[in-house]
mmCIF file of all heavy atoms in Angstrom:
data_model
loop_
_atom_site.group_PDB
_atom_site.id
_atom_site.type_symbol
_atom_site.label_atom_id
_atom_site.label_comp_id
_atom_site.label_asym_id
_atom_site.label_seq_id
_atom_site.Cartn_x
_atom_site.Cartn_y
_atom_site.Cartn_z
ATOM 1 N N PHE K 3 -2.942 -1.500 26.711
ATOM 2 C CA PHE K 3 -2.330 -1.094 25.443
ATOM 3 C C PHE K 3 -0.906 -0.617 25.699
ATOM 4 O O PHE K 3 -0.688 0.366 26.396
ATOM 5 C CB PHE K 3 -3.178 0.002 24.807
ATOM 6 C CG PHE K 3 -2.520 0.808 23.728
ATOM 7 C CD1 PHE K 3 -1.869 0.188 22.667
ATOM 8 C CD2 PHE K 3 -2.573 2.200 23.759
ATOM 9 C CE1 PHE K 3 -1.271 0.945 21.667
ATOM 10 C CE2 PHE K 3 -1.989 2.956 22.767
ATOM 11 C CZ PHE K 3 -1.326 2.330 21.718
ATOM 12 N N PHE K 4 0.059 -1.338 25.151
ATOM 13 C CA PHE K 4 1.468 -0.986 25.300
ATOM 14 C C PHE K 4 1.921 -0.191 24.079
ATOM 15 O O PHE K 4 1.687 -0.607 22.937
ATOM 16 C CB PHE K 4 2.318 -2.243 25.451
ATOM 17 C CG PHE K 4 2.125 -2.942 26.773
ATOM 18 C CD1 PHE K 4 1.080 -3.845 26.947
ATOM 19 C CD2 PHE K 4 2.968 -2.687 27.842
ATOM 20 C CE1 PHE K 4 0.890 -4.487 28.166
ATOM 21 C CE2 PHE K 4 2.788 -3.318 29.062
ATOM 22 C CZ PHE K 4 1.740 -4.224 29.224
ATOM 23 N N PRO K 24 -12.852 0.891 26.734
ATOM 24 C CA PRO K 24 -11.998 1.170 27.898
ATOM 25 C C PRO K 24 -10.659 0.440 27.780
ATOM 26 O O PRO K 24 -10.607 -0.720 27.366
ATOM 27 C CB PRO K 24 -12.815 0.636 29.074
ATOM 28 C CG PRO K 24 -13.697 -0.413 28.481
ATOM 29 C CD PRO K 24 -14.007 0.041 27.084
ATOM 30 N N SER K 31 9.632 3.025 27.342
ATOM 31 C CA SER K 31 10.720 3.915 26.934
ATOM 32 C C SER K 31 11.689 3.137 26.051
ATOM 33 O O SER K 31 12.426 2.267 26.544
ATOM 34 C CB SER K 31 11.454 4.469 28.152
ATOM 35 O OG SER K 31 12.640 5.146 27.751
ATOM 36 N N LYS K 39 13.287 -5.753 27.624
ATOM 37 C CA LYS K 39 13.390 -6.367 28.953
ATOM 38 C C LYS K 39 12.482 -7.594 29.056
ATOM 39 O O LYS K 39 11.459 -7.692 28.370
ATOM 40 C CB LYS K 39 13.016 -5.339 30.028
ATOM 41 C CG LYS K 39 13.868 -4.072 30.019
ATOM 42 C CD LYS K 39 15.299 -4.359 30.388
ATOM 43 C CE LYS K 39 16.200 -3.131 30.244
ATOM 44 N NZ LYS K 39 15.777 -1.995 31.048
ATOM 45 N N ASN K 46 5.305 -9.404 24.352
ATOM 46 C CA ASN K 46 5.582 -9.422 22.909
ATOM 47 C C ASN K 46 7.024 -9.856 22.685
ATOM 48 O O ASN K 46 7.950 -9.056 22.835
ATOM 49 C CB ASN K 46 5.342 -8.043 22.290
ATOM 50 C CG ASN K 46 5.494 -8.060 20.770
ATOM 51 O OD1 ASN K 46 5.867 -9.084 20.185
ATOM 52 N ND2 ASN K 46 5.205 -6.948 20.131
ATOM 53 N N VAL K 55 -3.273 -6.324 25.301
ATOM 54 C CA VAL K 55 -3.645 -7.450 26.163
ATOM 55 C C VAL K 55 -5.157 -7.428 26.334
ATOM 56 O O VAL K 55 -5.721 -6.452 26.834
ATOM 57 C CB VAL K 55 -2.943 -7.342 27.523
ATOM 58 C CG1 VAL K 55 -3.339 -8.522 28.413
ATOM 59 C CG2 VAL K 55 -1.423 -7.310 27.338
ATOM 60 N N THR K 62 -0.502 -8.767 18.874
ATOM 61 C CA THR K 62 0.526 -7.876 18.364
ATOM 62 C C THR K 62 0.284 -7.689 16.867
ATOM 63 O O THR K 62 -0.568 -8.364 16.290
ATOM 64 C CB THR K 62 1.940 -8.436 18.602
ATOM 65 O OG1 THR K 62 2.086 -9.687 17.893
ATOM 66 C CG2 THR K 62 2.201 -8.674 20.079
ATOM 67 N N GLU K 118 27.325 -1.943 8.712
ATOM 68 C CA GLU K 118 28.321 -0.937 8.359
ATOM 69 C C GLU K 118 27.702 0.461 8.354
ATOM 70 O O GLU K 118 26.603 0.655 7.812
ATOM 71 C CB GLU K 118 28.908 -1.238 6.973
ATOM 72 C CG GLU K 118 29.662 -2.553 6.882
ATOM 73 C CD GLU K 118 30.886 -2.583 7.771
ATOM 74 O OE1 GLU K 118 31.481 -1.493 8.000
ATOM 75 O OE2 GLU K 118 31.254 -3.681 8.238
ATOM 76 N N SER K 121 26.576 1.719 5.039
ATOM 77 C CA SER K 121 25.304 1.167 4.590
ATOM 78 C C SER K 121 24.135 1.864 5.276
ATOM 79 O O SER K 121 23.122 2.197 4.642
ATOM 80 C CB SER K 121 25.240 -0.334 4.884
ATOM 81 O OG SER K 121 26.272 -1.027 4.217
ATOM 82 N N LEU K 122 24.284 2.118 6.570
ATOM 83 C CA LEU K 122 23.236 2.801 7.315
ATOM 84 C C LEU K 122 23.048 4.224 6.798
ATOM 85 O O LEU K 122 21.919 4.697 6.657
ATOM 86 C CB LEU K 122 23.581 2.820 8.808
ATOM 87 C CG LEU K 122 23.692 1.446 9.475
ATOM 88 C CD1 LEU K 122 24.182 1.598 10.915
ATOM 89 C CD2 LEU K 122 22.373 0.699 9.437
ATOM 90 N N PHE K 149 -11.645 10.600 3.678
ATOM 91 C CA PHE K 149 -10.911 9.493 4.273
ATOM 92 C C PHE K 149 -10.287 8.609 3.190
ATOM 93 O O PHE K 149 -10.562 8.775 2.002
ATOM 94 C CB PHE K 149 -11.832 8.686 5.188
ATOM 95 C CG PHE K 149 -12.364 9.477 6.354
ATOM 96 C CD1 PHE K 149 -13.696 9.870 6.387
ATOM 97 C CD2 PHE K 149 -11.536 9.839 7.399
ATOM 98 C CE1 PHE K 149 -14.195 10.605 7.463
ATOM 99 C CE2 PHE K 149 -12.023 10.580 8.476
ATOM 100 C CZ PHE K 149 -13.347 10.962 8.506
ATOM 101 N N ILE K 165 1.804 7.008 10.113
ATOM 102 C CA ILE K 165 2.971 7.043 9.237
ATOM 103 C C ILE K 165 3.287 8.469 8.803
ATOM 104 O O ILE K 165 4.461 8.868 8.715
ATOM 105 C CB ILE K 165 2.753 6.115 8.029
ATOM 106 C CG1 ILE K 165 2.766 4.654 8.499
ATOM 107 C CG2 ILE K 165 3.817 6.343 6.951
ATOM 108 C CD1 ILE K 165 2.440 3.641 7.423
ATOM 109 N N LEU K 182 -3.124 14.185 0.696
ATOM 110 C CA LEU K 182 -2.530 13.579 1.888
ATOM 111 C C LEU K 182 -2.437 14.609 3.015
ATOM 112 O O LEU K 182 -2.720 14.298 4.182
ATOM 113 C CB LEU K 182 -1.155 13.021 1.545
ATOM 114 C CG LEU K 182 -0.518 12.021 2.512
ATOM 115 C CD1 LEU K 182 -1.424 10.820 2.723
ATOM 116 C CD2 LEU K 182 0.839 11.590 1.993
ATOM 117 N N HIS K 185 -5.841 15.101 4.521
ATOM 118 C CA HIS K 185 -6.189 13.961 5.379
ATOM 119 C C HIS K 185 -5.459 14.068 6.707
ATOM 120 O O HIS K 185 -6.049 13.853 7.781
ATOM 121 C CB HIS K 185 -5.821 12.653 4.672
ATOM 122 C CG HIS K 185 -6.107 11.427 5.486
ATOM 123 N ND1 HIS K 185 -5.181 10.878 6.347
ATOM 124 C CD2 HIS K 185 -7.225 10.652 5.582
ATOM 125 C CE1 HIS K 185 -5.708 9.813 6.929
ATOM 126 N NE2 HIS K 185 -6.939 9.661 6.484
ATOM 127 N N LEU K 188 -7.100 16.685 8.806
ATOM 128 C CA LEU K 188 -8.387 16.197 9.284
ATOM 129 C C LEU K 188 -8.208 15.286 10.496
ATOM 130 O O LEU K 188 -8.903 15.431 11.510
ATOM 131 C CB LEU K 188 -9.098 15.436 8.155
ATOM 132 C CG LEU K 188 -10.401 14.732 8.509
ATOM 133 C CD1 LEU K 188 -11.516 15.742 8.708
ATOM 134 C CD2 LEU K 188 -10.780 13.727 7.425
ATOM 135 N N LEU K 204 1.291 10.728 20.906
ATOM 136 C CA LEU K 204 1.485 11.602 19.753
ATOM 137 C C LEU K 204 2.301 12.797 20.216
ATOM 138 O O LEU K 204 1.902 13.517 21.117
ATOM 139 C CB LEU K 204 0.127 12.060 19.211
ATOM 140 C CG LEU K 204 0.119 12.889 17.929
ATOM 141 C CD1 LEU K 204 0.746 12.112 16.777
ATOM 142 C CD2 LEU K 204 -1.301 13.288 17.588
#
Side-chain angles (χ1 to χ4, degrees):
F3 163 50
F4 289 85
S31 170
K39 302 294 174 58
N46 185 355
V55 180
T62 62
E118 297 297 330
S121 300
L122 298 174
F149 298 108
I165 291 175
L182 196 57
H185 179 270
L188 174 73
L204 185 60

